[in-house]
Amino acid sequence: GDLRCLIRDDEQDLDFFLNITHIQMHRRTRALNRLRRLLSDREDSTDQSPLFSDQSFGNILLPLAMHPVFEYKSKTEEAYVVEAIATVGEISKHLPWSKYNNTLQSVLNNLARYPDQERFLIAMICSIIDAFHFSVDAGEGTNSNDKTQTPQSQGNGVWRSLKNRIMPKVESYLIKEKVDTHGAK
């Protein structure tokens, strides 16, 4: 299918799938870097046809790019994780709203579950937010105090999701209470 362009029978060093599964960390890092550059170069070119399908982006490439962040264990993996975060951001530019929203929600929800990876998860959230590419229409003449608004005047689904789910969750992580050893805030 559409992922065929990532396979290189003539040059194994350039084959994405061989390198992303390679035991050597630098080969995995280079595979992600090549994927990110391929997507970025394609975005800058005049050819606007999608390189991969939504299913390839969301079900294959995105999980492969997100995996290193959750599996980070030592300082030697840091370059790999940073490249993975950049690749997640580049892939996010090509996701449809539903997959983009689910991905962002998933990373936000995993912040509490992976405290050791907090700085990388925050970097991934920033990378995903930087890749936001959707039309946001808050609706004409909306007034948050007006209880008689029709669904059409409340804006599109992207706006509602941002306003009701994503922004409150992001704000809750921006305001973090510190508790000392005695339990005082």
Side-chain angles (χ1 to χ4, degrees):
D2 57 353
L3 295 172
R4 180 87 181 124
C5 67
L6 297 175
I7 299 172
R8 294 286 302 267
D9 294 328
D10 60 329
E11 186 72 44
Q12 286 189 347
D13 284 345
L14 300 178
D15 188 305
F16 174 78
F17 293 105
L18 280 177
N19 286 298
I20 198 69
T21 59
H22 202 277
I23 193 166
Q24 295 176 346
M25 190 73 57
H26 72 278
R27 298 271 296 263
R28 287 182 267 164
T29 305
R30 274 191 289 166
L32 288 172
N33 181 280
R34 264 191 230 100
L35 174 62
R36 183 177 53 82
R37 282 189 286 129
L38 175 70
L39 294 173
S40 178
D41 292 347
R42 182 69 171 212
E43 185 179 295
D44 296 339
S45 75
T46 57
D47 184 9
Q48 295 301 316
S49 62
L51 188 58
F52 304 113
S53 68
D54 290 347
Q55 290 77 23
S56 294
F57 276 123
N59 299 331
I60 297 168
L61 299 175
L62 185 63
L64 284 173
M66 289 177 75
H67 177 77
V69 176
F70 295 103
E71 297 300 317
Y72 173 81
K73 289 184 179 45
S74 70
K75 192 90 167 145
T76 59
E77 299 173 2
E78 197 161 315
Y80 178 44
V81 172
V82 169
E83 187 59 48
I85 291 167
T87 305
V88 167
E90 197 61 44
I91 291 170
S92 296
K93 292 177 183 177
H94 303 277
L95 295 175
W97 170 248
S98 62
K99 189 65 177 179
Y100 178 94
N101 185 28
N102 289 340
T103 301
L104 185 55
Q105 290 289 339
S106 171
V107 177
L108 285 166
N109 290 334
N110 280 317
L111 264 172
R113 292 185 198 127
Y114 295 91
D116 294 341
Q117 279 85 352
E118 182 179 58
R119 70 185 177 119
F120 296 122
L121 290 171
I122 290 171
M124 188 160 43
I125 289 167
C126 292
S127 183
I128 293 169
I129 290 172
D130 284 344
F132 187 87
H133 60 280
F134 304 97
S135 173
V136 178
D137 181 18
E140 293 298 318
T142 57
N143 180 353
S144 59
N145 295 329
D146 185 4
K147 304 286 189 240
T148 62
Q149 291 179 344
T150 63
Q152 292 81 16
S153 69
Q154 292 176 2
N156 64 16
V158 174
W159 170 249
R160 285 191 309 274
S161 184
L162 283 171
K163 182 177 175 247
N164 298 329
R165 294 177 65 214
I166 295 172
M167 292 310 297
K169 192 166 273 191
V170 170
E171 286 174 353
S172 74
Y173 287 115
L174 290 174
I175 303 165
K176 194 174 188 181
E177 292 184 6
K178 290 191 175 189
V179 179
D180 65 13
T181 55
H182 303 294
K185 293 180 183 182

